[in-house]
Amino acid sequence: MADSDERSGEMSEGLQVDLFHPESDREPGDTNIQALGFDIHPVVFPVALVLIGLFIGVTLLLGEQASSVYTGLFNFIGDNFGWFYLLSVNLFILVLLYFAFSKYGKIKIGGVEAEKEFSDFSWMAMLFSAGMGIGLMFFSVSEPLYYFQNVPGFWSAQPETGAAGSAAMAQTFFHWGLHPWAIYGLVGLGLAFFSFNRGLPLTFRSIFWPLLGDRIYGWPGHIIDLVTVFATLFGLATSLGLGVAQINTGLSYVGGDLLGVASVPTNSAVQVALIAVITLIATLSVAAGLDGGVKRLSTINLYLMFALLGFLLIVGPTVFILGTWVEGLGAYLNNIVALGFFRGALAPGGGTVTAWTVFYWGWWIAWSPFVGMFIARISKGRTVREFVMGVLVLPALFSTIWLSTFGGSALFNSIQGNGAALATYNEVGQTVAMFAMLEQFPLGALSGILATLLVVTFFVTSSDSGSLVIDHLTSGGKHDVPRAQRIFWALIEGLVAAILLWGGGLTALQTAAITTGLPFAVILCLMCYTVYLGLSNEYEILESEEFAESIEELSDDENVDVVTAGDEMVTDIKESDDPASSD
């Protein structure tokens, strides 16, 4: 049996390399420097470290001046290129759906012989934890409450009414539904295809292979990967730094207001200590590897999410929550096209679009190299159709259920209850909104503790998955990097977050990171074309006579099964299930 496994694997892998990989003498990481337990790209790794240090130094030295420059740049982009963001993200949805439901949907990531590395549940847990988890914890209550009082211009509703609540849920669904996952899905599909099907580096430079060829290994590729490292590291560091504010507030609120034991101080010292703890846990997870650390933590995350979600569905206003979900989902789907193109140029409401929608789209696009590359890394063995449906539809649907449960409970308290959640949100801010809402229902202290634990675990999984992504980028796109290198980047993320939190400049760096969304939006538009070229070429090879002859040779081996689709296109090559074939 082992011999037949090895034989079929070697034959099919040779088939993938011979027919599908580009004709190039280069391999991922072939110029790397290996020393002191590291395996680093000779340009991207050192230049990235220097640029990161310089940018942090300039931001801290200039202080408010740097913040004003970054904010002015972001506002300029939002005012003048907001239309481009809206148009681009709508395009991404259409392109992904075309790839999924056209003839290209049967193509398997990694080639016809590729097998899934992770179960469907583990795969969903990891992509959701990396993509949305912490954001949903932060905004699931505060965003609907904001729209409840400040109804977006697209909707015709009076503030703080039932109609305003319906509009608030639909607008929130829009920001956390299909559109952001289309961004992540496009990037993940492109990176996975060019890495696993073409044998190119698992970095952003590889998506330009159809246009640049071997030049992706030169300075054009170096610049692309350096910008990706910048956006990923500062996106993660600023999110970690700003996110510990919610953890700090949660601990203070649960310990003081709910349990009446002791109020945890809310200051920079406590938050730096929290960063240290989160970074330590993330470092241990990264050291354990993708299967032993990230997958396990992501699975724990999903179980904790289900526990908190189920708990609130039971003790909260169950019927109201379900009604809010159905009504909000209907309003969202009924207006998804109009919302997707609404800029507010011809009617009031442009402020909401710039402050929220353009901000979100810029943020998702800026984060897409990180999330997309991580999704690519864990998606080998899935067909294009399975990948798109898994990344685009299921997480978006779960997000609407989560938002309805938590946002709907907050709206219930505001419309039919004592309004305490809304009052606390207006007085203290969005970091405490979820905890104030949970306090209005039975066992508020217990659910508050669970929510705080969930925020922490989501930050850990974001940090360790981000470290793995930066490892790939700075190691020339290798799939496996040394443990010391993984630990190094996990520590760097925490260090950058702590320095910026202590010295000021987190908000400025967050704004700067989001501005990278504009050049990445252009790159993603090009990616639509390059992925199309790659899939088209793959399909042509699968239909070619040369491939048919190779498959015929494989079919003659009684230990190998060749699986075809309805149109006789080969979709899988695997070991035969016939026991007699292994004798």
Side-chain angles (χ1 to χ4, degrees), residues 103-119:
K103 61 186 179 182
Y104 305 125
K106 300 172 186 175
I107 294 174
K108 184 184 286 189
I109 296 172
V112 291
E113 88 287 357
E115 296 182 358
K116 296 178 183 178
E117 291 187 74
F118 304 99
S119 68

Side-chain angles (χ1 to χ4, degrees), residues 8-54:
S8 62
E10 288 176 353
M11 291 176 70
S12 57
E13 286 174 8
L15 177 68
Q16 187 69 24
V17 172
D18 292 342
L19 296 183
F20 295 89
H21 285 199
E23 295 182 2
S24 174
D25 295 331
R26 302 298 304 271
E27 294 181 359
D30 57 2
T31 61
N32 280 9
I33 298 173
Q34 298 176 348
L36 302 176
F38 281 54
D39 187 356
I40 62 173
H41 190 277
V43 176
V44 176
F45 185 94
V47 174
L49 283 181
V50 172
L51 291 179
I52 289 167
L54 286 175

Side-chain angles (χ1 to χ4, degrees), residues 557-581:
D557 188 335
E558 61 181 7
N559 296 307
V560 177
D561 277 344
V562 177
V563 182
T564 60
D567 57 0
E568 297 188 356
M569 188 184 87
V570 176
T571 58
D572 197 8
I573 299 175
K574 59 184 180 181
E575 180 197 359
S576 175
D577 293 328
D578 183 3
S581 67

Side-chain angles (χ1 to χ4, degrees), residues 145 253 410 412-415 417-428 432-433 435-437 439-440:
L145 287 180
Y253 197 82
F412 174 83
N413 178 258
S414 302
I415 298 172
N418 58 16
L422 182 61
T424 305
Y425 164 71
N426 289 330
E427 180 181 349
V428 182
V432 79
F435 303 103
M437 179 274 295
E439 185 183 10
Q440 309 310 312

Side-chain angles (χ1 to χ4, degrees), residues 178-201:
L178 295 174
H179 286 74
W181 284 103
I183 298 170
Y184 294 157
L186 176 65
V187 175
L189 178 60
L191 291 172
F193 175 80
F194 285 111
S195 177
F196 292 122
N197 292 62
R198 292 293 178 268
L200 297 172

